[in-house]
Structures are given as C-alpha cells and as structure tokens.
Amino acid sequence: MYTESPPLNEAYPEHAERTSSNQVHRLRPGAFPRSSGFKNTQFASDGPSITRRIIRALGRFSAAVLIGVVATLAWQSYGGEMVRAWAPSLGWLLPASPSAELQAQLKPVALDLAILRRSVEQLASNQDQLARKQDQMTQAFATLQAAVRDINQNILALAPLAPKAAHVPPPKPLQPAAQ
C-alpha cells in the first residue's frame, strides 16, 4: 500500500513561482502565488464563448422564422388542397366552401357591390372636378375684383379733370290747382 503522498507543489504547478533565472521556488502548502492583478489570471471555460452562443441562438431563431414564413406562404398559395391531401384529419381547420345555393344568393350581392363601388368612384371623380372648377371660379372672381379696383382708381384719377357740372336748382314743388 502506498502511504506517501506526492508533494503539493509538484502536483499543482500553479503553487510554484518562477523567477527570471527560471528557478522554481516552492511555496509552502496552502499559500497562493503572487499575482499582479487580473492579467495573469485566466478563467477556464468549458463551453463556447458568449459570441458563439449568441450567433447560434440567432441562427436558430432565424431558421424558425424562415420555416414560419415558408409555411405561411405555402398555406396562402395552396391553402386547403395541400392540407386536405397531407392531413385529412386537419380539414376542420379549413373554412368550409360555400354551397351552390349560398353562391347563388351571394352573386347578386357581389354585383350590387361592384355597381356601388363604381358609383362611389364616379362621385369621387365628380367631386374632384367640382373642386377644380370652384378653384377656377375663385381665381376668376379675384381677377374681376382686381379689375374693378383698377377701374375705380382710374375713374377717381380722372375726376378732377372733368368739368364741374352746372348747378341746377332743385325743381319747384307743384302748386295745387286753385279752386
């Protein structure tokens, strides 16, 4: 049976201190080596770095989003046919296709809606035309007002040159006929 244990300093090289002459000085058991701060301290990590973990997580997230987008596009493109073909038990998730009777009832409503939409578009177009015409009329009115002001100014400017009108006495009131 082995009774002697190896010296602690040899089993744990971190408890030895080297000098510039490459001599190893043994430290007493339980003593820690001198350290000049965190520069000499290395943290051992068994797992990948934080950057790698973040990249892997983003990659997994991106893959999940891509699968969701592809599934959504496939659902919108092929819809119920694909689901009914691959998994008939999921048919209850699909909207029920309308019956022929319901389609016959909906056809006039769809036509009425199309006519109504066309009428609304025509009304909007007419409203735009009326608004443009109103703007034109407003501009024409403003032009006319400016012309009237110019004419009035010209008349006032020419007024002192005109001869003064002769003073005409007011007409005499008619005398009542004698009786």
Side-chain angles (χ1 to χ4, degrees), residues 40-122:
N40 294 334
T41 308
Q42 294 182 355
F43 295 103
S45 90
D46 295 337
S49 68
I50 293 175
T51 306
R52 285 190 181 178
R53 284 186 275 174
I54 290 173
I55 291 173
R56 286 181 185 167
L58 287 175
R60 288 183 192 124
F61 177 75
S62 299
V65 168
L66 182 64
I67 289 171
V69 167
V70 168
T72 302
L73 291 176
W75 181 274
Q76 289 179 351
S77 297
Y78 298 105
E81 299 87 29
M82 188 171 57
V83 173
R84 284 189 186 99
W86 288 355
S89 63
L90 295 177
W92 64 273
L93 290 173
L94 302 174
S97 57
S99 65
E101 180 182 331
L102 183 59
Q103 285 179 349
Q105 290 175 351
L106 290 177
K107 190 172 184 177
V109 173
L111 290 174
D112 290 343
L113 285 175
I115 292 170
L116 183 63
R117 182 182 305 125
R118 194 173 308 125
S119 298
V120 168
E121 289 171 357
Q122 287 175 349

Side-chain angles (χ1 to χ4, degrees), residues 156-177:
L156 290 175
L158 295 176
L161 298 178
K164 291 185 179 178
H167 180 64
V168 178
K172 293 182 180 178
L174 294 175
Q175 294 181 357

Side-chain angles (χ1 to χ4, degrees), residues 1 39 48 97 102 148:
M1 187 162 150
K39 293 180 184 175
S97 57
L102 183 59
V148 166

